[in-house]
Amino acid sequence: MAGDAKTSRAAVWPGIIALAIAAGYLIALLAVEKQSLIIALLAVGIIVVIAAAWFGLLDGVSHAFSDHEDALGGFAILALLAVGAFFHEDHFVLLLVTTVLLYSVATLGLNIQFGYAGVLNFAGASFFGIGAYTSAVLNAHTALPHLIVLLIGGLLAALIGSLLLLPVLRTRGHYAAVVTIAFALLFKTFLEVNDVLGGPQGMQVKGMTILGWSFNDNIEIGGISLSFYMNYFMISLLLLIGAFVVVRRLERSWIGLNLDALRLDETAASCFGLDVVRWKITAFLIGNFLIGVAGAMFGMVGSFVAPNNYTFADSLILVSILLLGGIGNPWGLIVATFIVVVVPEKLQTIQEYRFLLYALLVIGVLLFRPEGLLPRPVRRYFPGWQP
Amino acid sequence: MTALLEARGVVKRFGGVVALDGLDLAVTAGEIIGLIGPNGSGKTTFFNVATGIYAANAGNVMFDGADITRVPARAIYRAGVSRTFQRSRLSLPLSIFDNIMIGNHKRLNQGLWFNLVKRGDFKREFEASYHAARALVEVFEPALAGRMFEPVAGLPMIDRRRIEICRALISEPKLLLLDEPSAGMTHDETAELMNDILLVRERKKDLTIIIVEHEMGVIERITNRCVVLNFGRKIAEGPYRDVAADAQVQEAYLGVA
Ligand SMILES: Nc1ncnc2c1ncn2[C@@H]1O[C@H](COP(=O)(O)OP(=O)(O)OP(=O)(O)O)[C@@H](O)[C@H]1O
Ligand SMILES: [Mg+2]
């Protein structure tokens, strides 16, 4: 009776259809301006998802994703490119979608830390800010190539994070979480009193240039003009793809297993040879590196950094994305980032109640779907692999 | 004969409770030792000290010629000691395969570059590990071998116990510590589990085992020798029949003089 579990792979088309619908829906949501229409669209979206779940349609989608992840990853990229192409002249929408892409990179970093290693980081926005200020300072005062600046932003976030947490990661319990909260609160004050970094007003960030190609110029190709944000959209998409691949490979390796093992039972893990401190630090460093790179990119995209953009409240938003999306599931995190970033931006009426909305959303998810919108499936080291 | 594991005068206190009170214990390579004694007599505590979870307050523990008294748990595992826990301690959301691979830590390549970049090499190691884990599971319960990627949370206790033993065996330890492996099983299930353990040992004759077990039938059948603890001290030692006849042992167990 060996090996008779299931020998056929799931169909891929439910995944493709889901991606096509999602892309179409996103385009509609981003294109519509009238508030009543947006509310109607959101209501329709919620009802469709609930109905699809009710009728079991989502199972086919999740099976498709677990068996054909590489192919569907390709389709997801196409879907995002379609969204970008549709809005190729629209500064506002491209900036919004680029923001989502970079926030997704940051939450993927947090996911390695909290989702896998179980180390809570309540200073995500601060480390993101370290990246952003790195590009502000380095672009202004040095001639370093901007790709190197991204790298430095990531390394700096990792370095500062590890100086902060090395002493506490050795201890059990949630000391690390407390330290990150303290850091998040201090970070903003530090920026505000620091004149070199522009104080409360913040500072300008020079736009990105790669090999003489300036990202802040609009693009003309054969009579079609593209918003300059198209540059940033494309490079942010590349960063997201890179971060996604890193997170995926990490999860589907012995390292991902180590992180799960130490999160679930430190004592048992150390009885089987695991160096708990080493792996916690490794997870924290990789996570912060991703957050810092995303922040450095974000600084150049926004062309401006100020202390108010990197507060404790922003860190909480990042954590809420994690809870909402499904801790440990990178697909869920990207969906959740879209929801959390795009909805308040489109629904001007709720802007002021943004945090209330997040709080309700998180409470609702924790009550009714504690594992998030897209729960993490059991680890498959190679999608579709059969013994 | 030199001992594989030797404890000399080991003391372990928890506040006022003296869980191990100058325990001496020696195990020769290839033996199967039964560690018995009434509840709270220090059996689990001895395992915890020997595997580095707790540090002894006094005395020392030697394993395979090296002093492991102040050595961290992970290094003791690397030296060749594996264990199961009295209360099953699997990672419930993880699959059967994942749980067994946790026990294989020292034989897997843990390099970042290997894991993230050299996916072809990783896949070969993964496939080899899969076949090894599956072969081991098949010894204990063939029906589980087709369910290697299912979470252990969905398995009944008896299967979880089997997986825990597989996790301890996969790295081919020199010394296996079994802490009430059959807790919660019926008489027949226990007998079957013991046969499976002996079957694995057939292939690796030098595997040394210390087993804590309340069912004396099991102890009688599979052990070469027993060590009886009471209040953290060794009160008797020898073949099961001799030990069972010992007056002090009967008193400790039955409370009769
Ligand atoms: N972590 C701990 N903290 C405090 N006291 C402990 C701890 N672990 C064990 N003890 C105490 O040490 C003594 C020995 O306990 P131990 O668990 O080693 O007994 P045991 O022989 O395994 O018993 P059982 O047959 O019930 O499993 C008991 O009095 C117990 O309460
Ligand atoms: Mg015990």
Side-chain angles (χ1 to χ4, degrees):
Chain A
M1 61 190 295
D4 60 359
K6 59 165 184 182
T7 41
S8 61
R9 297 175 79 183
V12 65
W13 54 265
I16 298 178
I17 291 176
L19 282 172
I21 293 176
Y25 181 75
L26 185 62
I27 288 175
L29 189 63
L30 289 168
V32 170
E33 297 287 347
K34 214 164 153 236
Q35 293 291 300
S36 55
L37 265 180
I38 292 172
I39 292 173
L41 258 178
L42 289 174
V44 168
I46 294 170
I47 291 169
V48 166
V49 170
I50 291 177
W54 186 262
F55 291 110
L57 295 178
L58 295 187
D59 293 344
V61 176
S62 66
H63 289 147
F65 269 86
S66 61
D67 278 4
H68 305 274
E69 184 161 74
D70 294 346
L72 288 173
F75 279 104
I77 294 169
L78 285 181
L80 280 171
L81 286 175
V83 173
F86 189 91
F87 296 102
H88 62 274
E89 279 181 312
D90 192 327
H91 294 325
F92 172 79
V93 169
L94 285 176
L95 173 60
L96 187 59
V97 176
T98 303
T99 305
V100 171
L101 300 179
L102 293 175
Y103 270 45
S104 298
V105 174
T107 43
L108 285 175
L110 277 185
N111 177 52
I112 296 176
Q113 301 174 333
F114 179 55
Y116 301 153
V119 179
L120 259 174
N121 180 355
F122 283 112
S126 313
F127 294 120
F128 196 73
I130 288 174
Y133 271 86
T134 304
S135 30
V137 172
L138 291 183
N139 288 11
H141 300 295
T142 70
L144 282 172
H146 291 164
L147 287 177
I148 303 286
V149 171
L150 294 185
L151 197 69
I152 296 176
L155 291 175
L156 219 58
L159 180 77
I160 294 174
S162 64
L163 289 182
L164 198 67
L165 285 165
L166 275 190
V168 285
L169 280 181
R170 297 179 178 280
T171 58
R172 289 189 186 210
H174 290 296
Y175 295 102
V178 177
V179 171
T180 57
I181 292 174
F183 179 71
L185 298 173
L186 272 175
F187 182 71
K188 181 169 174 257
T189 319
F190 168 79
L191 293 176
E192 279 170 349
V193 300
N194 198 316
D195 288 335
V196 185
L197 297 176
Q201 273 72 48
M203 57 197 292
Q204 297 279 343
V205 189
K206 262 203 229 152
M208 186 170 232
T209 314
I210 294 179
L211 301 173
W213 175 280
S214 165
F215 277 41
N216 283 27
D217 296 339
N218 290 332
I219 311 161
E220 301 287 338
I221 306 174
I224 307 172
S225 73
L226 308 177
S227 156
F228 70 93
Y229 278 118
M230 204 64 183
N231 294 310
Y232 288 112
F233 170 78
M234 293 303 289
I235 192 167
S236 301
L237 182 58
L238 287 177
L239 287 180
L240 178 57
I241 294 169
F244 194 95
V245 170
V246 167
V247 169
R248 260 306 185 221
R249 289 190 170 187
L250 191 86
E251 193 214 340
R252 294 172 167 174
S253 73
W254 308 135
I255 295 174
L257 176 60
N258 291 345
L259 300 182
D260 282 332
L262 76 86
R263 183 188 74 248
L264 294 164
D265 189 341
E266 270 188 33
T267 305
S270 59
C271 276
F272 292 103
L274 204 118
D275 187 340
V276 172
V277 175
R278 172 186 163 199
W279 290 111
K280 271 192 190 173
I281 290 172
T282 305
F284 198 82
L285 289 182
I286 300 176
N288 256 26
F289 177 79
L290 291 182
I291 297 170
V293 169
M297 191 67 245
F298 189 73
M300 296 189 220
V301 174
S303 75
F304 189 74
V305 289
N308 271 335
N309 301 337
Y310 309 104
T311 62
F312 182 49
D314 296 293
S315 294
L316 288 183
I317 292 181
L318 292 178
V319 173
S320 68
I321 292 175
L322 209 60
L323 295 174
L324 186 64
I327 294 165
N329 185 340
W331 291 102
L333 295 183
I334 295 174
V335 172
T337 313
F338 266 105
I339 295 173
V340 167
V341 175
V342 170
V343 171
E345 205 56 56
K346 293 300 292 187
L347 263 189
Q348 297 297 333
T349 34
I350 63 153
Q351 271 280 358
E352 285 177 52
Y353 306 102
R354 208 148 57 103
F355 284 101
L356 185 67
L357 184 83
Y358 293 147
L360 289 177
L361 209 57
V362 168
I363 292 171
V365 165
L366 290 181
L367 278 179
F368 298 110
R369 215 174 152 81
E371 288 182 80
L373 296 176
L374 300 176
R376 176 180 171 191
V378 100
R379 181 189 343 271
R380 300 294 298 268
Y381 290 79
F382 294 92
W385 182 86
Q386 304 278 344
Chain B
M1 270 195 294
T2 56
L4 179 67
L5 181 81
E6 185 170 12
R8 293 194 209 110
V10 172
V11 175
K12 179 65 200 171
R13 283 183 289 266
F14 297 104
V17 178
V18 185
L20 295 176
D21 190 3
L23 179 67
D24 294 310
L25 196 158
V27 184
T28 310
E31 271 189 306
I32 301 184
I33 298 276
L35 187 61
I36 57 181
N39 290 98
S41 56
K43 306 179 296 290
T44 299
T45 304
F46 174 67
F47 279 8
N48 286 339
V49 168
T51 52
I53 293 185
Y54 296 149
N57 298 105
N60 58 10
V61 185
M62 307 283 295
F63 177 73
D64 212 6
D67 190 334
I68 57 164
T69 320
R70 307 259 171 272
V71 169
R74 57 174 194 276
I76 295 176
Y77 156 82
R78 282 183 186 281
V81 183
S82 264
R83 67 174 294 178
T84 65
F85 296 89
Q86 184 169 357
R87 292 201 184 158
S88 163
R89 264 186 117 144
L90 292 173
S91 297
L92 296 182
L94 304 186
S95 65
I96 295 178
F97 176 71
D98 278 0
N99 271 285
I100 295 175
M101 280 308 110
I102 288 174
N104 210 17
H105 187 79
K106 69 177 172 190
R107 307 207 303 177
L108 300 173
N109 187 337
Q110 305 290 348
L112 265 183
W113 190 256
F114 172 83
N115 277 274
L116 297 187
V117 183
K118 308 199 77 176
R119 293 299 281 180
D121 293 352
F122 175 80
K123 190 168 188 179
R124 270 187 291 283
E125 187 172 275
F126 160 74
E127 284 176 336
S129 310
Y130 170 80
H131 293 298
R134 183 175 175 134
L136 190 56
V137 168
E138 247 155 21
V139 171
F140 286 87
E141 177 59 39
L144 288 178
R147 303 168 62 186
M148 296 292 280
F149 292 100
E150 289 181 25
V152 296
L155 300 179
M157 205 48 174
I158 174 166
D159 285 338
R160 292 190 197 175
R161 294 256 170 214
R162 291 169 169 146
I163 302 302
E164 223 184 327
I165 293 171
C166 291
R167 178 175 71 177
L169 282 171
I170 188 79
S171 64
E172 302 191 351
K174 294 178 186 148
L175 175 65
L176 176 65
L177 307 178
L178 297 170
D179 198 347
E180 294 192 34
S182 69
M185 291 189 188
T186 66
H187 187 81
D188 292 344
E189 288 168 345
T190 305
E192 191 193 321
L193 184 73
M194 295 304 150
N195 289 340
D196 297 337
I197 292 173
L198 293 178
L199 199 65
V200 172
R201 193 165 167 279
E202 274 298 292
R203 302 175 190 168
K204 206 173 163 289
K205 282 270 195 292
D206 54 341
L207 176 65
T208 311
I209 300 178
I210 306 180
I211 179 169
V212 172
E213 178 58 58
H214 279 304
E215 198 167 318
M216 290 306 143
V218 169
I219 293 286
E220 180 171 13
R221 183 159 69 90
I222 76 168
T223 64
N224 310 112
R225 201 157 62 87
C226 287
V227 171
V228 189
L229 299 191
N230 198 20
F231 294 113
R233 258 179 264 182
K234 183 166 73 183
I235 57 167
E237 182 170 9
Y240 175 76
R241 282 186 187 287
D242 303 353
V243 164
D246 186 291
Q248 245 191 311
V249 174
Q250 292 188 346
E251 183 189 334
Y253 265 98
L254 307 169
V256 293

